[in-house]
Amino acid sequence: MHDIIAQTLLQSGAVRADQLDAAVAAVGEGPQLSAHLLQAQLITPTQLAHAVATARDLPFTDIANRELDPEIVALVPGSLCRRYQLIPLERRRRTIVVGMVDPTDIIAMDDVQSVTDMTVQPVVVSSDGLRQAFERYLRSDEELSDLSELLGETAAPGATAFTESLDDADSDAPIIRFVNLLITQAINDRASDIHIEPGEHQLTVRFRIDGVLHEMQRADRAIQDGVISRLKIMASIDIAERRRPQDGRMSVSHEGRQVDLRVATLPTVWGEKIVMRILDNSGTALAMSDLHFGARNEASFRDAIGRPHGMVLVTGPTGSGKSTTLYTALTTVANPSVNVITVEDPVEYRIAGISQVQVNPRAGLTFQSALRSILRSDPDVVLVGEIRDHETANISIEAALTGHLVLSTLHTNDAPSALTRLIEIGSEPFLVATALTAVVAQRLARRLCQKCRVPVTESAAVLAGIGFPHDPSDPPTLYRAGGCTACSGTGYRGRIAVHEVMTVTEELEQMVVSSATGTDMRRVALQQGMTSLRDDGWSKVAEGLTTIEEVLRVTI
């Protein structure tokens, strides 16, 4: 079957013979071959679907922007659709037309036939089109509302009856289904964080999607203790301790892949608030081009991380993509001849071929003690998760001065502020000036959905007022957010980083030693060619990747 698909892809021109031969040599033939071609971005899901349709002599149906009948979709349970990667499309008397990624799955067709009591007629759909259909038609909101009502009716006000029995509860128990649906829906919605917030009368659930919080669910306060206890058990957190913040971690299996969640609890006046950061490992294999650096910024960054020693800092607020940039830098410099060791709190993503150390203060493994041990382990590249104090900063600077490339993060508002921040926490100015090679400041703006963006022409007065570079006689064509099924009506899908890369030159080194202010250093860096965050944002607006409103929202 998959040999036929491979030949079909070759004959259609979707993949070259040398690419196919290399893929077969890497993973062999069979189902894994198609998966490898997709992962390597040698083919698109649509090209694969066309090849499967041709090989099986079945029609291909594009459902990416097709309106489906919710009643038809509801004929097959959502759990079955997700398990077998299929969705009902039409009903023709006693026949149901089903869109399938793999039309050879006989077990899937048998199960659909048994639940619908109809003959199954398969057609081929692409995996990305099916994912969009799932996001639109198989959402869990309605079931979550029903479950919260059910739980609210059965739980006595203020009761904690769920606390003791959750661990042994049946997976069909309403409280477990409620929590599982919440996590599943968040992953399907591409959320980065889940906020579960107790209130005086209601439990509120919010998802952070593309950097913006959206309220998704309100449930009766009576279920609060059960939901929180269930999550604490899943994250191996002490359920009896409610007076102090706690941290934990859990892993869930979602559509065949492992997704990790970092869990943090915070006692509030109405109960414990829980925030879960979703760490989806499938999105970490980034190339430098995926970061969308400007040409000058990328050249400066590559030069900094390509040096045999020195320190490179990535700065920005929490959730600004610092870890993604650092991991991409690591994968760029890492190879079998380089020893790369990281010390992180927590280790967010596991990377093959890199030694990663998890900080554990209770066991005495702090950033400082781990760094000292790492420097005795013959490293070439060291990643320090975050510089938080004087001792960590000093050890990192010393490592950069003794032949190591050190990558780390710092919480500052712009690139020049990193220099003054290191001095503020106790590092010697002459050591900071000598060790630091470059600083990257970044923010994340929402990326325009390319399927529904709307071209606009702003007036010269508006562009001049916000400092957008333009020719008054030839106003540029920009874009604003539209709204379609692919982006859930928001006009945005995904995020893009805007950067500010400052190379530490001799003049800046002298200014650091002479205790110049951050404002003075910023002025000199801009004179030497540094692109500010906002100017980098304007270049991405001009490319049609984001909007003026987004750049104004995330930069100053």
Side-chain angles (χ1 to χ4, degrees):
M1 167 63 188
H2 285 270
D3 295 342
I4 300 173
I5 294 173
Q7 290 302 317
T8 306
L9 287 167
L10 187 61
Q11 291 167 5
S12 67
V15 65
R16 299 196 310 268
D18 58 326
Q19 293 174 329
L20 187 60
D21 291 342
V24 171
V27 299
E29 297 181 348
Q32 67 274 12
L33 179 58
S34 299
H36 177 78
L37 293 172
L38 278 174
Q39 188 175 6
Q41 297 183 341
L42 297 174
I43 60 172
T44 66
T46 301
Q47 288 173 324
L48 177 60
H50 276 292
V52 171
T54 302
R56 296 295 297 171
D57 195 22
L58 289 170
F60 167 80
T61 301
D62 183 5
I63 61 170
N65 294 302
R66 175 173 169 174
E67 292 290 332
L68 302 181
D69 185 343
E71 293 186 5
I72 301 296
V73 174
L75 291 173
V76 178
S79 58
L80 207 66
C81 293
R82 292 190 187 279
R83 187 190 314 157
Y84 294 126
Q85 291 292 284
L86 54 83
I87 193 165
L89 302 178
E90 296 178 48
R91 180 177 181 172
R92 300 170 183 168
R93 295 186 180 179
R94 300 303 305 163
T95 298
I96 183 169
V97 178
V98 178
M100 304 179 69
V101 172
D102 180 9
T104 64
D105 193 338
I106 303 300
I107 296 174
M109 287 190 277
D110 284 346
D111 282 0
V112 171
Q113 184 168 335
S114 65
V115 298
T116 60
D117 197 26
M118 287 188 278
T119 303
V120 176
Q121 180 181 326
V123 298
V124 181
V125 297
S126 67
S127 57
D128 54 354
L130 187 68
R131 185 175 62 253
Q132 288 182 26
F134 282 174
E135 290 176 2
R136 186 174 183 193
Y137 296 101
L138 292 184
R139 294 185 59 83
S140 306
D141 305 52
E142 189 174 335
E143 188 174 354
L144 281 168
S145 298
D146 293 343
L147 276 171
S148 64
E149 287 178 16
L150 170 65
L151 290 165
E153 292 168 1
T154 57
T160 57
F162 295 115
T163 303
E164 297 301 324
S165 60
L166 279 177
D167 212 18
D168 301 320
D170 184 80
S171 60
D172 290 331
I175 197 73
I176 296 179
R177 283 169 48 214
F178 183 88
V179 169
N180 291 350
L181 280 170
L182 270 185
I183 296 173
T184 299
Q185 190 60 62
I187 296 171
N188 290 335
D189 285 351
R190 301 175 294 105
S192 60
D193 300 86
I194 306 170
H195 291 240
I196 297 174
E197 303 166 335
E200 183 178 5
H201 304 294
Q202 289 180 310
L203 181 72
T204 305
V205 178
R206 296 194 290 173
F207 294 167
R208 187 177 293 280
I209 302 171
D210 293 336
V212 178
L213 278 170
H214 300 268
E215 185 175 305
M216 307 303 294
Q217 186 71 31
R218 283 181 179 266
D220 193 285
R221 179 176 163 78
I223 75 167
Q224 171 183 314
D225 292 327
V227 171
I228 291 171
S229 295
R230 173 61 184 166
L231 287 168
K232 290 172 77 173
I233 287 171
M234 292 173 72
S236 301
I237 291 175
D238 182 1
I239 63 170
E241 178 56 73
R242 302 182 179 185
R243 299 167 298 174
R244 62 181 179 88
Q246 297 185 80
D247 296 313
R249 193 180 182 106
M250 69 173 83
S251 293
V252 297
S253 180
H254 178 72
E255 295 182 358
R257 72 179 193 272
Q258 198 79 1
V259 178
D260 294 334
L261 293 95
R262 195 175 73 208
V263 183
T265 71
L266 181 70
T268 71
V269 292
W270 301 117
E272 287 179 286
K273 170 174 175 159
I274 290 187
V275 178
M276 293 182 282
R277 168 66 56 88
I278 298 173
L279 308 170
D280 189 351
N281 288 295
S282 64
T284 60
L286 292 177
M288 192 69 76
S289 59
D290 296 319
L291 298 179
H292 286 283
F293 274 108
R296 185 189 179 283
N297 284 345
E298 181 172 344
S300 300
F301 187 60
R302 283 186 181 275
D303 177 64
I305 64 175
R307 296 187 181 189
H309 57 80
M311 177 185 284
V312 179
L313 293 178
V314 181
T315 75
T318 301
S320 60
K322 298 188 297 295
S323 295
T324 299
T325 300
L326 281 182
Y327 281 124
T328 304
L330 274 188
T331 56
T332 302
V333 301
N335 61 65
S337 64
V338 175
N339 181 22
V340 181
I341 306 179
T342 77
V343 52
E344 304 168 68
D345 183 23
V347 175
E348 294 191 359
Y349 303 110
R350 273 74 170 178
I351 303 177
I354 291 177
S355 304
Q356 296 174 274
V357 178
Q358 167 75 56
V359 168
N360 186 353
R362 283 184 292 184
L365 185 62
T366 61
F367 271 110
Q368 299 93 318
S369 61
L371 262 174
R372 290 193 196 95
S373 299
I374 285 171
L375 295 178
R376 293 193 292 268
S377 301
D378 186 32
D380 297 297
V381 181
V382 179
L383 184 148
V384 183
E386 183 182 347
I387 294 178
R388 304 175 181 175
D389 53 57
H390 163 71
E391 193 172 356
T392 305
N394 275 1
I395 299 172
S396 300
I397 287 171
E398 288 170 10
L401 292 172
T402 54
H404 305 89
L405 176 64
V406 178
L407 308 176
S408 190
T409 68
L410 199 63
H411 287 278
T412 65
N413 289 328
D414 61 6
S417 299
L419 296 163
T420 54
R421 175 68 181 141
L422 286 173
I423 296 168
E424 283 171 11
I425 61 178
S427 299
E428 291 290 346
F430 70 93
L431 292 178
V432 172
T434 309
L436 207 55
T437 303
V439 183
V440 181
Q442 70 178 59
R443 301 290 188 277
L444 291 179
R446 287 185 291 174
R447 183 196 292 259
L448 273 170
C449 176
Q450 299 297 303
K451 294 187 177 180
C452 64
R453 63 181 187 173
V454 180
V456 293
T457 303
E458 295 287 359
S459 68
V462 169
L463 296 178
I466 60 174
F468 190 97
H470 66 289
D471 180 356
S473 63
D474 183 22
T477 299
L478 307 178
Y479 295 87
R480 65 172 174 82
C484 65
T485 57
C487 60
S488 302
T490 63
Y492 298 97
R493 186 175 178 87
R495 287 187 288 177
I496 188 167
V498 294
H499 305 94
E500 180 176 275
V501 181
M502 183 187 76
T503 301
V504 181
T505 61
E506 287 186 14
E507 187 174 353
L508 285 170
E509 287 182 19
Q510 293 168 3
M511 294 183 74
V512 173
V513 175
S514 60
S515 302
T517 65
T519 303
D520 290 338
M521 286 189 281
R522 179 172 184 80
R523 186 181 65 253
V524 170
L526 289 170
Q527 289 171 355
Q528 293 178 346
M530 181 181 80
T531 304
S532 69
L533 281 168
R534 180 161 288 188
D535 285 342
D536 189 54
W538 292 150
S539 69
K540 290 174 168 63
V541 170
E543 292 177 51
L545 297 173
T546 188
T547 61
I548 287 175
E549 293 78 12
E550 277 298 293
V551 173
L552 292 174
R553 181 177 70 86
V554 301
T555 65
I556 56 173

